[in-house]
Amino acid sequence: MARVEVRNVSLTFGAHKAVDDVSISFEDGGFYALLGPSGSGKTTLLRMIAGFEFPDEGSIHIGGEAVESVPVNKRRIGMVFQNYALFPNMSVAGNVAFGLQVRGEKGETVRRDVADALELVQLGHLADRRPHQLSGGQRQRVALARAIVTKPRVLLLDEPLSALDKALRTDMQVELKRIQREVGVTTIFVTHDQDEALSISDRIGILNNGRIVQEGAPEEIYDRPKSEFAATFLGDANIFAGTFDGTRLRLQNGEAIDLPSDARPANGDLRLAIRPERVRLVPSAALAESGSSQSSSHLAGTITRRMFSGSQSTYLVESGGQEYKAIVMRGNAGELEVGTPVAMQWDRSDLIVL
Amino acid sequence: MAATMTQENGLRKAFPLLLPAYAWLTLAIFLPLSAMVYFSLLTSMSPSEQSSSLTLENYAAFFSDPLYVTLLLRSLRLGLVVTLICILVGFPAAYVLAKIFKGRAREAIFLLVILPFWSNSLVRVFSWSMVLREGGILDTALNSILPFEVTFDLMYSYPAVVIGLVHSYLPYMVLTCYLSLQAIDDALIEAARSLGASRLTTLRRVVAPLALPGVLAGSALIFIPVVGSFMEPRILGGRGGTLYGTVIEDQFTAVYNWPLGAALSFILLAVVLVILLVSAPVLRKTA
Ligand SMILES: Nc1ncnc2c1ncn2[C@@H]1O[C@H](COP(=O)(O)OP(=O)(O)OP(=O)(O)O)[C@@H](O)[C@H]1O
Ligand SMILES: [Mg+2]
């Protein structure tokens, strides 16, 4: 168990900077997700922490020890691969024992530790099977047991669940979290699935083009994204782009939007974001009846599409040549039809200044 | 039950696809081979004597003269030595090709490995004789580098035969090892390394066991023809190059005792098959 610190690390492949001046620290015992689109450098960063790639610049510390030039087998890390990478020539128990044996552990210790690790992942009864006789979920558990049985200082996982179907994946997320809590190992988990990152990790680092865009607790990043990329990549967001004239944000089409009362941006180009579930839809007819439009900001528009997904409906609303998204929980209120003129409303405090 | 059913079904479907291959095998191997079996049982084969009859004498000849057994043992030992050297040289080469070189470099080295395949085998062997003989290329080159005089004559010796055979058969080992090494997922090697294994331990415990089928296939492809080889021993081995294969060849090309040559061939075939059969279960267990 140890703290991992990555300082100003860069790695260039040919002319392409895969990881670009990344600094991020992973606290002891924390569960971190590295999230980003394909090609953003997640795997490369993870492989540098593991010791499969070596940074051109910068330093990596594990438990206070500088490891940039330490080979992978001396780093005392545990790694779980996307395709499990179980040794096909060994049994389940043999796979788990491998790391102990190469460290010179003998007979009884190995047997006991292997049994404990398999117990932890609830696979004690399959110890004698070969990897090809296991299901995907079981293989993943073996890979996990194999990675943690050596008591690594840090556990690295590169999209370990992406080969599993959705139901199994959710199970494994819970399982992984439980095991991580039990073992207490610092864990870095690479994924490009935002739901997975949100539900499983204590903290998330978002990568784009080889750079860390934002790092923080899941709620923090979701509620206060610092950039349009962070806002739209983690969760959905409607973006209002325009110019700030000192009091309000003027959109290209002439509409104006009030800013949150505590925002003090500089005049000029400005972007605001709002989460679709914070947008309320009120039929224009109903709005005209009550005559109350002062309480919150609003934009007038027309519903162009409705997508129903069980507990909620997602509406696409066209306004001033832009399309916006609103997610409405399905209560007693009736559904709105496509073509209905509506006002999109929200609380000013729900707007995010980017 | 269900498994055998589907297997039979699969065979029936595969039959039209297998037919050309089996037809060819029948024509090219089975027919000549049966002719040879027949020859090996004849007393004599010269066209002038019409009075040839069937006999087992040719097979008995092998056991009556200890020279044949000695030569067979020597040939088997040669096969073993050549195969082992091919493994020792070919496996690392295949490993480097499959796991370390990428792209262009891999293609270039691959070409170098395959090159002996494309040259005529006789040309290959004769060029070795130019390299190995006294006053030959190797001798001259060594003497021009070394400050003291060395006479270097490997020609007409056992080492020369081994060198020539290794050169001829090495590509088989490199190719079969390359194929099985290439099929090993790099992630397996990385997994072993991440678990604390050194490169050597990874090679020993993960890579080598998984590449074993390739090594075995290569060994079989090399061992069998080397045991029966005659051209390299004859050209490079000189007087020391008398081996089981050269004796067989003599029967066909010099002495014209085809029945004896055929019988000796079949004894060799039987011995090799027995060796393969005996070693198969042992090797399967280690794999
Ligand atoms: N060995 C390599 N040689 C050259 N370029 C590489 C190599 N490995 C990665 N790259 C490049 O570096 C960039 C980052 O790759 P990386 O694998 O880290 O992305 P990723 O975030 O893991 O993507 P994904 O979600 O698709 O796995 C990509 O543009 C990729 O093409
Ligand atoms: Mg990746």
Side-chain angles (χ1 to χ4, degrees), chain A residues 47 52 72-73 77 79 81 83 85-90 98-99 101-103 146-147, chain B residues 185 187-199 201-202 205-206 209-210 287:
Chain A
R47 289 171 60 82
F52 294 121
V72 52
N73 56 325
I77 53 119
M79 182 126 181
F81 296 81
N83 58 359
L86 297 178
F87 307 127
N89 54 325
M90 299 176 200
F98 183 88
Q101 287 162 349
V102 299
R103 278 174 170 72
R146 183 178 70 175
Chain B
D185 186 355
L188 291 179
I189 297 171
E190 293 188 338
R193 302 273 289 141
S194 76
L195 289 165
S198 64
R199 283 184 193 283
T201 310
T202 306
R205 295 221 28 207
V206 178
L210 293 176

Side-chain angles (χ1 to χ4, degrees), chain B residues 73-90:
Chain B
L73 286 178
R74 197 198 277 184
S75 284
L76 289 173
R77 195 180 58 143
L78 178 71
L80 211 62
V81 168
V82 170
T83 307
L84 279 178
I85 294 178
C86 283
I87 293 175
L88 290 179
V89 177

Side-chain angles (χ1 to χ4, degrees), chain B residues 10-231:
Chain B
L11 267 182
R12 200 168 305 140
K13 276 190 192 140
F15 188 72
L17 297 174
L18 291 173
L19 196 61
Y22 277 105
W24 169 247
L25 281 178
T26 313
L27 266 175
I29 296 180
F30 189 69
L31 290 181
L33 217 57
S34 1
M36 276 295 158
V37 173
Y38 176 66
F39 292 161
S40 75
L41 296 171
L42 293 178
T43 47
S44 109
M45 256 202 62
S46 65
S48 53
E49 295 173 48
Q50 299 299 319
S51 63
S52 74
S53 59
L54 292 181
T55 173
L56 277 174
E57 224 160 80
N58 296 313
Y59 288 92
F62 174 83
F63 297 99
S64 58
D65 189 344
L67 178 68
Y68 292 126
V69 179
T70 313
L71 286 179
L72 180 58
L73 286 178
R74 197 198 277 184
S75 284
L76 289 173
R77 195 180 58 143
L78 178 71
L80 211 62
V81 168
V82 170
T83 307
L84 279 178
I85 294 178
C86 283
I87 293 175
L88 290 179
V89 177
F91 186 84
Y95 184 83
V96 171
L97 267 176
K99 292 292 171 207
I100 297 177
F101 281 122
K102 301 265 180 301
R104 266 283 144 77
R106 174 184 292 179
E107 284 165 25
I109 309 256
F110 216 99
L111 210 65
L112 285 180
V113 172
I114 308 288
L115 219 53
F117 262 1
W118 292 347
S119 59
N120 177 284
S121 55
L122 209 57
V123 171
R124 220 184 301 150
V125 175
F126 274 114
S127 43
W128 270 113
S129 77
M130 275 159 45
V131 172
L132 295 175
R133 70 163 191 268
E134 188 178 357
I137 296 169
L138 190 61
D139 193 21
T140 319
L142 276 179
N143 276 317
S144 64
I145 298 170
L146 296 174
F148 48 88
E149 190 77 3
V150 288
T151 43
F152 197 83
D153 187 10
L154 274 178
M155 198 52 198
Y156 304 130
S157 69
Y158 188 70
V161 177
V162 172
I163 290 175
L165 285 169
V166 166
H167 180 237
S168 297
Y169 289 100
L170 188 60
Y172 289 105
M173 185 59 77
V174 176
L175 283 178
T176 55
C177 287
Y178 175 81
L179 289 179
S180 64
L181 282 168
Q182 210 201 17
I184 299 175
D185 186 355
D186 286 345
L188 291 179
I189 297 171
E190 293 188 338
R193 302 273 289 141
S194 76
L195 289 165
S198 64
R199 283 184 193 283
L200 198 67
T201 310
T202 306
L203 186 68
R204 197 169 50 81
R205 295 221 28 207
V206 178
V207 178
L210 293 176
L212 195 62
V215 178
L216 294 182
S219 300
L221 284 178
I222 293 170
F223 181 76
I224 297 170
V226 165
V227 171
S229 65
F230 53 87
M231 191 174 67

Side-chain angles (χ1 to χ4, degrees), chain A residues 130, chain B residues 209 212 216 276-287:
Chain A
R130 289 275 167 153
Chain B
L212 195 62
L216 294 182
L276 289 184
L277 279 180
V278 168
S279 54
V282 181
L283 293 171
R284 198 170 304 136
K285 205 161 285 168
T286 50

